[in-house]
Amino acid sequence: MDKSKLGIKSADILLPREGIDLKKWATVACDQYTSEPEYWLDVEKIVADSPSTFRITFPEVYLEKEGKKERIRNIVKTMEDYIEEGVFTEYKDSFILVKRTCDGKSRYGLMAALDLDQYDYSKDSRSLIRATEGTILERIPPRKEIRKDAPLELPHIMVLISDEKRSVIEPLKDKMDSLKRIYSTELMKDGGYLEGYLIDSDEDKEMIYQAFENLYLALDKTNPLLFAMGDGNHSLATAKSCWEDMKKGLSEEERKDSKARYALVEIENIYDEALLFEPIHRVFFNLSMDEFEKEVLKYAKGMTYHREKSIEDMVERINGKDGLMFGLSVNNELYSVEVKGSRNFLSASLMQSVIDSLKERNACQIDYIHGIDVTVKLSNEGNNIGIILPDVDKSSFFETVIKEGSFPRKTFSIGHANEKRYYMEARRIK
């Protein structure tokens, strides 16, 4: 089989040379702690004058601050300086097996390059690589400003595969003792511990390609989803947008070999037990129950309320019953709500319809909340309503994306903020 059809390839991967303090080098994904500038001020103090990914990425907490253009210029200049000063060691034509241990759990990933020509982030995409949540198009241009002149990419992108037989990553994990460990470090700010193992032998690479080929051949050819976005979809969408701009001026042969056609990502198996999906909840601020019900009933024929004695009872019911269910916290009371006669397949889709309708009229403010306890607490303040969404079922995740298209934005999160991917590897894109 032609390997190019698989959408994946090995890459020339850059890592900090020996002697660089990796704990100061690796910083968490730029889209985390966006409401906590103190986190990033602490990172800056920790890093001090050491080479660090903090200097060559753009924490989004600063996106709306003054000096954005100067910060971008400094990022590009620092990238060029790091290349010129020999900060990196390059591992040619390789994959890297990543082991991340955090909060007592270890999960495994594979660093690889994905083909942007086989990625489509539109909601109804049928491409091999696709988004799993709604892509907000206005979030792409500011990211393009950073990427378009950058000589390097540093991925916080995490992509999922549905490999129930554990045929791609797990065999590499089983032979980890025979692989060369090329980095090992504690991560700053409670990020856990990170290790990387080089995969550069022809035998191991062929094993990887064969495993992906087997997954590919088992797909529905009319709707072949092999790679589903986990984290960093807007970063991959930015890479795609930059590539679409660039390839217009290239010949067919130049397009085939261009570094910019690919994006470096970490691939993880959705069946990894340490990979935890958590629903993201909603709070409607200063909205009456009458208004809320009225909005829901635009998209459903009825709602049945079940008063619950505890959060645990509510969560058990909304996750244990078929049909459209969500939890409701209002006026210091908890309910599980069963929705009848809705065209929506998911509770998150129903809530997104409600949110869109309310936003059109500026009827209230809405926030997306990690954690049920925080959602309930906020709902008990003032005239607020908390919506608790059911868990995202990992076993049906791919099937849902295939049948229904991408989830609404902010439906789920993979782990807590400190468990998100830390920048370590880089790759030249020019």
Side-chain angles (χ1 to χ4, degrees), residues 225-239:
L225 174 59
L226 182 55
F227 300 103
M229 292 303 305
D231 277 329
N233 180 59
H234 288 92
S235 292
L236 194 64
T238 298

Side-chain angles (χ1 to χ4, degrees), residues 29-94:
C30 65
D31 58 351
Q32 299 304 304
Y33 303 102
T34 53
S35 298
E36 300 176 54
E38 64 276 8
Y39 176 95
W40 292 103
L41 290 172
D42 198 24
V43 169
E44 188 164 19
K45 289 177 187 174
I46 292 168
V47 166
D49 295 328
S50 295
S52 176
T53 56
F54 177 72
R55 305 294 180 197
I56 49 177
T57 55
F58 198 142
E60 292 184 8
V61 69
Y62 301 122
L63 263 183
E64 303 303 322
K65 307 291 184 186
E66 291 185 6
K68 183 171 75 172
K69 289 186 177 179
E70 182 181 0
R71 184 179 282 268
I72 292 172
R73 283 195 296 270
N74 288 338
I75 287 170
V76 173
K77 175 68 165 57
T78 305
M79 284 182 177
E80 292 168 346
D81 289 345
Y82 282 1
I83 294 168
E84 183 69 24
E85 293 164 6
V87 164
F88 296 106
T89 296
E90 186 172 51
Y91 295 88
K92 304 284 285 185
D93 191 18
S94 300

Side-chain angles (χ1 to χ4, degrees), residues 99-261:
K99 178 183 179 183
R100 172 83 177 277
T101 303
C102 191
D103 296 333
K105 305 181 296 291
S106 294
R107 71 176 195 257
Y108 296 82
L110 184 71
M111 298 303 301
L114 288 191
D115 184 354
L116 294 169
D117 273 343
Q118 300 197 56
Y119 166 57
D120 179 0
Y121 51 76
S122 61
K123 175 174 171 51
D124 298 320
S125 164
R126 293 195 164 211
S127 58
L128 197 69
I129 308 164
R130 68 185 82 163
T132 55
E133 289 190 313
T135 303
I136 305 166
L137 298 182
E138 56 266 30
R139 291 180 66 179
I140 295 175
R143 288 163 175 78
K144 284 182 73 171
E145 285 299 307
I146 300 166
R147 187 179 177 96
K148 67 184 179 65
D149 295 321
L152 302 173
E153 64 173 359
L154 290 96
H156 71 262
I157 300 164
M158 195 257 278
V159 176
L160 302 171
I161 55 172
S162 180
D163 183 16
E164 191 170 7
K165 294 181 180 178
R166 295 164 171 81
S167 62
V168 177
I169 296 171
E170 288 75 7
L172 300 168
K173 168 188 164 185
D174 291 342
K175 64 176 297 183
M176 204 161 58
D177 289 345
S178 67
L179 299 174
K180 180 182 178 183
R181 190 168 71 174
I182 49 177
Y183 61 76
S184 174
T185 183
E186 182 184 355
L187 296 170
M188 68 169 75
K189 305 283 289 178
D190 299 320
Y193 201 85
L194 190 67
E195 301 169 62
Y197 296 82
L198 182 65
I199 300 166
D200 61 351
S201 74
D202 290 341
E203 179 184 355
D204 286 339
K205 287 189 288 186
E206 190 55 40
M207 181 179 74
I208 290 168
Y209 285 123
Q210 185 60 57
F212 275 114
E213 182 176 330
N214 293 339
L215 291 178
Y216 176 88
L217 292 173
L219 299 176
D220 176 356
K221 296 303 177 287
T222 66
N223 197 348
L225 174 59
L226 182 55
F227 300 103
M229 292 303 305
D231 277 329
N233 180 59
H234 288 92
S235 292
L236 194 64
T238 298
K240 169 75 170 180
S241 184
C242 286
W243 168 237
E244 291 296 322
D245 291 345
M246 180 185 294
K247 75 179 185 181
K248 293 171 186 173
L250 301 178
S251 68
E252 199 61 43
E253 196 60 31
E254 287 171 328
R255 291 180 184 183
K256 183 179 175 183
D257 297 327
S258 174
K259 290 183 174 69
R261 175 177 166 174

Side-chain angles (χ1 to χ4, degrees), residues 166-397:
R166 295 164 171 81
S167 62
V168 177
I169 296 171
E170 288 75 7
L172 300 168
K173 168 188 164 185
D174 291 342
K175 64 176 297 183
M176 204 161 58
D177 289 345
S178 67
L179 299 174
K180 180 182 178 183
R181 190 168 71 174
I182 49 177
Y183 61 76
S184 174
T185 183
E186 182 184 355
L187 296 170
M188 68 169 75
K189 305 283 289 178
D190 299 320
Y193 201 85
L194 190 67
E195 301 169 62
Y197 296 82
L198 182 65
I199 300 166
D200 61 351
S201 74
D202 290 341
E203 179 184 355
D204 286 339
K205 287 189 288 186
E206 190 55 40
M207 181 179 74
I208 290 168
Y209 285 123
Q210 185 60 57
F212 275 114
E213 182 176 330
N214 293 339
L215 291 178
Y216 176 88
L217 292 173
L219 299 176
D220 176 356
K221 296 303 177 287
T222 66
N223 197 348
L225 174 59
L226 182 55
F227 300 103
M229 292 303 305
D231 277 329
N233 180 59
H234 288 92
S235 292
L236 194 64
T238 298
K240 169 75 170 180
S241 184
C242 286
W243 168 237
E244 291 296 322
D245 291 345
M246 180 185 294
K247 75 179 185 181
K248 293 171 186 173
L250 301 178
S251 68
E252 199 61 43
E253 196 60 31
E254 287 171 328
R255 291 180 184 183
K256 183 179 175 183
D257 297 327
S258 174
K259 290 183 174 69
R261 175 177 166 174
Y262 295 86
L264 191 63
V265 304
E266 180 178 347
I267 296 166
E268 295 191 11
N269 185 5
I270 198 169
Y271 288 98
D272 188 327
E273 290 80 4
L275 195 66
L276 301 179
F277 278 50
E278 297 180 348
I280 300 175
H281 310 296
R282 281 84 169 120
V283 173
F284 297 85
F285 294 90
N286 296 312
L287 184 71
S288 71
M289 272 301 296
D290 285 345
E291 280 276 332
F292 175 73
E293 286 183 348
K294 188 169 139 187
E295 290 298 334
V296 173
L297 292 175
K298 288 180 180 178
Y299 309 98
K301 293 181 179 176
M303 293 189 289
T304 304
Y305 294 84
H306 304 271
R307 180 80 179 272
E308 304 291 359
K309 294 179 180 177
S310 68
I311 290 174
E312 290 75 19
D313 289 346
M314 177 184 63
V315 169
E316 183 177 359
R317 191 188 293 266
I318 67 174
N319 285 309
K321 189 169 181 178
D322 291 337
L324 211 59
M325 301 281 295
F326 62 86
L328 175 72
S329 175
V330 62
N331 297 326
N332 290 293
E333 294 180 349
L334 297 170
Y335 300 88
S336 56
V337 182
E338 186 175 1
V339 180
K340 300 290 180 67
S342 175
R343 291 183 178 180
N344 294 103
F345 179 71
L346 299 168
S347 301
S349 302
L350 173 63
M351 284 305 130
Q352 192 58 50
S353 297
V354 171
I355 288 169
D356 291 344
S357 177
L358 289 168
K359 278 188 172 179
E360 276 184 17
R361 300 187 285 109
N362 293 318
C364 69
Q365 289 186 314
I366 298 105
D367 201 0
Y368 299 87
I369 307 296
H370 295 260
I372 294 176
D373 290 344
V374 178
T375 304
V376 170
K377 178 177 179 293
L378 289 171
S379 71
N380 291 332
E381 298 172 0
N383 196 28
N384 301 339
I385 297 171
I387 301 299
I388 292 87
L389 292 183
D391 293 341
V392 176
D393 183 2
K394 290 205 299 184
S395 65
S396 62
F397 182 82

